[in-house]
Amino acid sequence: MAVHERGLRRRAVVAATVLAVTALLGTTTGRAEAREPGTPRPALPAPTGPYAVGTTTRHLVDTRRPDPWKPREGAREVMVGLFYPADRVGGKDGGDTAPHMDAGSAAHFGSARGAGSFNYGVRPDAADWTSTRTHARVDVPVARGSRALPVVLYSAGLGDPRTWNTGLVEDLASRGYVVVTIDHTYDSSEVRFPGGRLAESVLPTLAGAPVSEVDAALRTSMKARVDDTRFVLDTLGGAAWRQGLPRGLGHAMDLRRVGMAGQSAGGFTAAQTMHDDRRIMAGINMDGQMEFPLPDDTGSTLSTVAREGVDRPFLLLGSDGPGAEDNRASWASFRRHSTGWGAEMAMTGGAHGAYTDAASLLPAFARQGALTEEDLRKDIGTVRPERAVAATRAYAVSFFDRFLKGRDDHLLDGPSPRFPEMRSER
């Protein structure tokens, strides 16, 4: 639902998606096919900053809020990942490198019910998602001398797990940011809690549902996402909670300088949270539509952030080709009503998934036969995958460096010969 539907899409496309999910159910082969000798192994690109990267995960429970999807099950639970600058240490003191996805999550992500299949067209159980690792070491201390590190929150697309932009997240951490990735339980493809309990997305159950039910579910999702994000911010500010983090990390975070980024519905989440919560100083929306299928009680399909804009810096990064026009109405209204610094760029030849780990991982899986070349083009477009990765990283770093660190490399001033793929939208 995050890629082919571009997050929150118009009703016809949403309906087509959930029907496609139904068609996928039951087609699983039961295991990933063996990789042919000599075929490329999918891998996340290495971070480019001066720091190594550390990571840790935490289970958070919001006792003030029942779960919006399953209120009878009790308080809202979310999982978060923290990525942060670490010292470059080798040998036995280097720490274990984290997997991209834990084994249980990877198995579900690649199944007929997981986002790898219903969002990206990868044949169920045809890709070995357990084979991909990050560059981050688990629970290592924060880099020596780290003080007042800006914090960036990250929200993934509708149905995607928090791990589905680890390449970008690691790069930001390697450049001196603490990045907090948020799993939106029962929206994310799967969320694995301590003890192995796996919460699967409820979104595939929308197959065949009336448009009114789809609209209600999307509104539930967006409210839950914003509430999750604000709860995470509250938690980050707790002194006792910070003491339980890897050595030095709790004291290194500067919660006076907080930004947020997201792709698809995660980009919508970044904008809406920034609208609702003044703790967010700057935000990036990567190709996320900011409206709903049906009008609300004001007679508009536009979200409040699209109708009212924001008064702090915000960057819109769009895609190209079929479906890109779905952003037009909400983005135009957002820009018209925003009073803070703003810019809109589009990636020529880039499709919806070009701003995610799809650009890094799916080409190799396609060469292994796990998805077709046609599906690969639908996912990431005709842009060269390595150029999509480089551009996404450069513009995200440039934006947050400018507005959270006060360092301006002038990349955002206009078109750049360094990134001819990116065009400025006026």
Side-chain angles (χ1 to χ4, degrees):
M1 293 184 185
V3 174
H4 300 302
E5 294 66 49
R6 307 174 58 82
L8 301 180
R9 296 200 53 179
R10 57 186 62 169
R11 75 180 78 172
V13 183
V14 172
T17 300
V18 292
L19 290 173
V21 173
T22 301
L24 282 171
L25 294 177
T27 61
T28 175
T29 63
R31 60 184 177 88
E33 297 178 4
R35 185 170 62 95
E36 292 293 331
T39 56
R41 183 182 296 276
L44 295 172
T48 60
Y51 296 101
V53 179
T55 188
T56 191
T57 60
R58 290 294 184 273
H59 173 216
L60 308 181
V61 181
D62 186 353
T63 57
R64 301 167 301 177
R65 179 169 52 121
D67 189 277
W69 297 103
K70 299 186 177 184
R72 293 182 179 178
E73 294 192 4
R76 177 67 165 174
E77 299 177 79
V78 296
M79 292 295 295
V80 296
L82 290 88
F83 292 76
Y84 52 91
D87 290 322
R88 296 190 180 278
V89 179
K92 294 182 180 179
D93 296 328
D96 294 329
T97 303
H100 185 208
M101 304 179 194
D102 66 82
S105 297
H108 183 268
F109 183 85
S111 74
R113 300 184 307 278
S117 298
F118 71 71
N119 275 0
Y120 297 94
V122 179
R123 289 189 295 110
D125 301 304
D128 183 8
W129 294 103
T130 64
S131 66
T132 307
R133 302 195 72 81
T134 71
H135 302 86
R137 292 172 292 132
V138 178
D139 291 337
V140 294
V142 73
R144 285 186 294 270
S146 294
R147 294 289 186 274
L149 300 177
V151 175
V152 174
L153 306 171
Y154 184 79
S155 177
L158 192 72
D160 284 340
R162 72 177 192 274
T163 51
W164 195 241
N165 218 341
T166 297
L168 173 61
V169 166
E170 287 190 310
D171 199 58
L172 284 166
S174 78
R175 293 173 175 274
Y177 293 89
V178 176
V179 187
V180 184
T181 60
I182 305 170
D183 251 336
H184 303 289
T185 310
Y186 299 120
D187 173 334
S188 297
S189 176
E190 60 283 319
V191 181
R192 183 178 179 274
F193 291 109
R197 176 168 52 99
L198 201 71
E200 299 184 13
S201 176
V202 302
L203 298 177
T205 65
L206 296 175
V211 173
S212 59
E213 291 184 20
V214 173
D215 181 85
L218 297 178
R219 292 180 186 275
T220 296
S221 172
M222 288 310 304
K223 186 177 188 311
R225 285 167 163 265
V226 172
D227 289 345
D228 289 346
T229 306
R230 301 183 76 176
F231 165 61
V232 169
L233 267 176
D234 292 342
T235 302
L236 292 177
W241 185 83
R242 290 200 307 270
Q243 290 177 1
L245 296 175
R247 189 170 72 240
L249 179 57
H251 295 295
M253 290 187 287
D254 184 356
L255 294 176
R256 298 167 301 178
R257 294 187 292 166
V258 178
M260 186 169 182
Q263 186 265 349
S264 192
F268 185 176
T269 304
Q272 189 66 57
T273 306
M274 189 167 162
H275 173 274
D276 296 351
D277 195 318
R278 298 202 63 82
R279 289 175 291 182
I280 309 292
M281 291 181 59
I284 302 176
N285 177 351
M286 294 179 281
D287 214 34
Q289 185 176 335
M290 296 187 285
E291 62 180 310
F292 300 99
L294 297 178
D296 61 13
D297 55 9
T298 71
S300 174
T301 61
L302 296 178
S303 62
T304 54
V305 68
R307 293 200 298 260
E308 299 172 7
V310 294
D311 61 359
R312 284 146 286 157
F314 204 91
L315 176 62
L316 296 166
L317 295 175
S319 60
D320 202 8
E325 69 279 0
D326 292 339
N327 291 336
R328 290 299 107 213
S330 60
W331 283 25
S333 178
F334 173 81
R335 293 189 65 185
R336 187 166 59 249
H337 292 96
S338 291
T339 57
W341 180 96
E344 180 180 345
M345 308 292 294
M347 184 183 294
T348 302
H352 194 53
Y355 289 108
T356 73
D357 286 338
S360 301
L361 301 179
L362 294 191
F365 280 132
R367 288 192 289 272
Q368 292 179 12
L371 70 160
T372 67
E373 290 295 327
E374 180 181 359
D375 278 329
L376 181 63
R377 286 192 297 273
K378 289 178 182 178
D379 290 336
I380 64 174
T382 58
V383 66
R384 287 166 48 199
E386 69 275 14
R387 293 300 302 170
V389 171
T392 302
R393 288 177 165 191
Y395 280 86
V397 168
S398 178
F399 177 80
F400 287 126
D401 275 0
R402 179 170 176 176
F403 295 108
L404 296 184
K405 292 185 176 181
R407 302 174 185 171
D408 189 359
D409 65 358
H410 299 287
L411 179 61
L412 300 173
D413 290 350
S416 169
R418 291 172 52 204
F419 298 100
E421 303 86 356
M422 302 301 292
R423 66 178 187 272
S424 178
E425 298 287 296
R426 301 297 181 187

